[in-house]
Structure formats: C-alpha cells, structure tokens
Amino acid sequence: MAKPNSPITEHLAYLLAQANREINRQLELRLSKEGVPVEQWRILKVLSDGSGHSMGELADAVLLNHPTLTKMIDRMVSDTLVYRVQDPNDRRKVLMFISDRGKVLCRKLNSLAVDQEEHILESYGDKSTSELKRLLESLIDSSN
Amino acid sequence: MAKPNSPITEHLAYLLAQANREINRQLELRLSKEGVPVEQWRILKVLSDGSGHSMGELADAVLLNHPTLTKMIDRMVSDTLVYRVQDPNDRRKVLMFISDRGKVLCRKLNSLAVDQEEHILESYGDKSTSELKRLLESLIDSSN
DNA sequence: TTGAAAATATTGAATATTCAACAATTGAAG
DNA sequence: CTTCAATTGTTGAATATTCAATATTTTCAA
C-alpha cells in the first residue's frame, strides 16, 4: 500500500481534496442563491448559538486563518450580519455576535444546506453517509 | 438527520473540509522540505507517466482551474521541471511533459508523500484508511 | 467551401489570501 | 512594581486566484 509509483488517485490526501472540492462546489451553488460564500455560512452558523466568540476561536471553527477571517468579518459587519464587541474580561479579544439580520439569513442558508445533505443521502445512501462521517471524525481526531 | 439546527460539525461538507485541511497541511509540511507546493507535486506525478497531457486534462486531474494552472505551469517551465509542446494533431492544445529534472524531483517528493501515508496508516489504522478511501471514491463517483 | 459555433489555452484586471510586521493587552518572573 | 515574553487581533505589501474577455484552431452544418 502507498507505493512510490501508485497513481495520485490512490493517495488519501488526493481523494480528500477531490471529494471536498466536489461537495463544496455543490454547496457553493446552493448558497449562491443568497449570494453568500460557504465561509460566511459557517461563520453565521457558529455564531448562531447566540454567545460571543473571539476571532481566534472563530478562525479555528470556520477553517480560516486570522487575517482572512478579519477581512471577511469586515465585510459582514458592513452588511450588518454580525458585529464586534470588545471582550470586557480580556481587552485584547474581540467577541463576535450575530445580528438579527444575520439570524434571518442563517435560517435561509441552513435550509439550502439541508437540501444538499438530503440530496447526498439520496444518491449516496444513508449507510455510506453516516459511515463516512464517522471515519472522517475519527481521522480528524487521530490527527491531533 | 441533517436538521436545520444541527451544529456545523455534523455536516458532511464541513467534515470533508476539516479533514482535507488537516491532511493537506501535513503533506504541505513534508513537501516544503523540497520547497514545492502540493499542486506542483500533483502535476509532476500526473506527468510522470511520460505521456503528454493537455492543459484541460491536467487541470481536471490536479484539481485546479485553467488560469491558475496556466500560471503555475509558467513557473514550473521557468524552473525547467516541465515543458510545453504544441499538439500536432490539434493545434489548439498544448501538451505538457515532465523534464528529467522534474522526474528527479518527483521521486523525492513521492517518498515524502509516502512517508505521510505511512504516518497516517500508523496513527489511524490500516482498516480505517482503506475503508475511508473506498467510501471517498464511491462518494466522488456518485457525484457525477 | 464557407461561416458560425465550439473547444482550448492564455491574458489582464479585479478580487482574495497570505506573510510578516505591528499595536495593544495580559501574564508572569524577577 | 517593573519589565519582558506571550497572546490577540489588525494592517499593508506581496502573492495567488478568479472572472471575463481574447486569440487561435477545429468542427460542422448549410
């Protein structure tokens, strides 16, 4: 297994990249109905628990590095989807909150995303989907 | 399953993105020993079958869109890792070939990549790895 | 055969991301 | 306390990516 000359399509890294690209493309397509990039949906979804999240926390959660997140948040603040509050307990930190407008948008996006998951369930199957999720979670765990 | 309010960490799209990010980060780290980005390794690996590949073919195979590939190939031509030949049968096309220097580099990169796959096998397990690969392949198939 | 449509690759401008440096605040050792 | 290192977030310049437009060649129908 994993011989030096095996085709690239047998490498786990490649299969993950390919699957991710495809699924992400599909999701992108759905969310474009609301003109929102996937990363902004992730941000809204994380913030929709209502509590304040620091930029660092958020960057980890939504898989973006800090400067990219800062600039994306700038745009979302302009669009009044989220807002910044300085953390009173640690003034280095900024706490991000979702706005009412953000909540409304998030609900619409959720249903578009659920559409996609259902579409995957149909074509890929219930069993395979949950098994794949399980394996991915365990891979992520084992990589820390 | 896939309720509107389920946390983002339960979405397949998110799990794929997270796993891909992590595995890719690890691979990137290895390949940086030779100062080569993951995409260039993919290109070299595809071309290392020795036959000529058109830009379109290559773009699909290495998961890049056309303009990005063109510019990356420009760099690799400057580094004399690959070279362009106009396709004699269809002069719209350009056929890409790997150079001798490219082959030498590709061998080094392959062994770095195999290192990583072995590392994954150790920490994640033989069984899980092959099962995950199988499921990913089937997901990709079902998405076409 | 000709002319319009499709396929292929590249370019340049607009956009986005990243890297390194910075500013502000906190933590902690002396 | 004071000072120095660590943490947190942002900024600006450098880099990379993407979108739309372009050029070239081929295909194919009239």
Side-chain angles (χ1 to χ4, degrees):
Chain A
M1 177 156 286
K3 294 171 194 167
N5 286 346
S6 63
I8 196 171
T9 52
E10 286 176 17
H11 283 261
L12 179 57
Y14 180 81
L15 290 170
L16 277 171
Q18 193 180 6
N20 177 53
R21 186 178 163 89
E22 179 58 27
I23 298 300
N24 201 59
R25 197 191 57 78
Q26 288 174 16
L27 181 56
E28 214 163 43
L29 199 65
R30 311 265 175 149
L31 299 188
S32 71
K33 195 185 162 196
E34 296 290 338
V36 175
V38 175
E39 290 79 11
Q40 288 197 17
W41 172 61
R42 291 201 199 122
I43 292 169
L44 290 173
K45 194 143 182 63
V46 169
L47 295 186
S48 67
D49 71 358
S51 68
H53 294 259
S54 75
M55 292 295 280
E57 240 179 26
L58 202 49
D60 284 348
V62 304
L63 315 176
L64 290 176
N65 38 16
H66 292 216
T68 306
L69 178 63
T70 292
K71 285 154 191 171
M72 183 159 285
I73 289 288
D74 286 347
R75 272 169 289 195
M76 295 176 78
V77 168
S78 299
D79 296 341
T80 67
L81 297 171
V82 300
Y83 57 94
R84 291 177 164 97
V85 176
Q86 193 174 56
D87 186 336
N89 296 118
D90 183 342
R91 289 183 332 194
R92 288 169 304 183
K93 292 186 184 173
V94 170
L95 296 180
M96 297 304 313
F97 290 89
I98 189 170
S99 71
D100 289 343
R101 216 166 102 67
K103 285 177 196 164
V104 171
L105 177 57
C106 190
R107 272 191 289 276
K108 291 184 207 163
L109 298 174
N110 281 341
S111 97
L112 294 173
V114 166
D115 274 359
Q116 192 215 9
E117 294 253 325
E118 276 165 7
H119 174 258
I120 292 171
L121 282 180
E122 270 175 37
S123 63
Y124 185 55
D126 221 73
K127 192 96 190 318
S128 294
T129 305
S130 58
E131 179 65 1
L132 177 54
K133 284 186 185 178
R134 195 186 64 75
L135 282 168
L136 286 172
E137 278 166 6
S138 127
L139 174 65
I140 293 159
D141 279 353
S142 85
S143 301
N144 297 328
Chain B
M1 179 155 286
K3 296 171 191 165
N5 286 345
S6 64
I8 196 172
T9 51
E10 286 176 17
H11 284 260
L12 180 57
Y14 180 82
L15 290 171
L16 277 171
Q18 193 180 5
N20 178 51
R21 186 178 162 88
E22 178 59 26
I23 297 300
N24 201 58
R25 196 190 58 75
Q26 287 174 18
L27 181 56
E28 215 164 41
L29 198 65
R30 310 264 175 148
L31 299 188
S32 71
K33 193 185 164 197
E34 296 289 338
V36 175
V38 175
E39 290 79 12
Q40 289 198 15
W41 172 61
R42 291 200 199 122
I43 292 170
L44 291 173
K45 193 147 181 61
V46 169
L47 295 187
S48 67
D49 70 359
S51 68
H53 294 259
S54 76
M55 292 295 279
E57 241 181 25
L58 202 49
D60 284 349
V62 305
L63 315 176
L64 290 176
N65 37 17
H66 291 216
T68 305
L69 178 63
T70 291
K71 286 156 191 170
M72 183 159 285
I73 288 288
D74 285 348
R75 276 175 297 233
M76 294 175 77
V77 169
S78 298
D79 296 341
T80 68
L81 296 171
V82 300
Y83 57 94
R84 290 177 164 98
V85 175
Q86 195 177 54
D87 186 338
N89 297 118
D90 184 341
R91 290 186 332 201
R92 289 169 303 182
K93 293 187 184 173
V94 170
L95 296 180
M96 298 303 314
F97 290 90
I98 190 170
S99 71
D100 289 342
R101 216 166 103 66
K103 284 177 196 164
V104 171
L105 177 58
C106 190
R107 271 193 287 277
K108 289 184 208 163
L109 297 173
N110 281 341
S111 96
L112 293 173
V114 166
D115 273 359
Q116 192 214 10
E117 293 254 325
E118 276 166 6
H119 175 256
I120 292 170
L121 282 179
E122 270 175 38
S123 63
Y124 185 54
D126 221 73
K127 193 96 188 321
S128 294
T129 305
S130 59
E131 180 66 1
L132 177 54
K133 284 186 184 178
R134 196 186 63 76
L135 283 168
L136 287 172
E137 277 166 8
S138 127
L139 174 66
I140 293 159
D141 279 353
S142 84
S143 300
N144 298 327

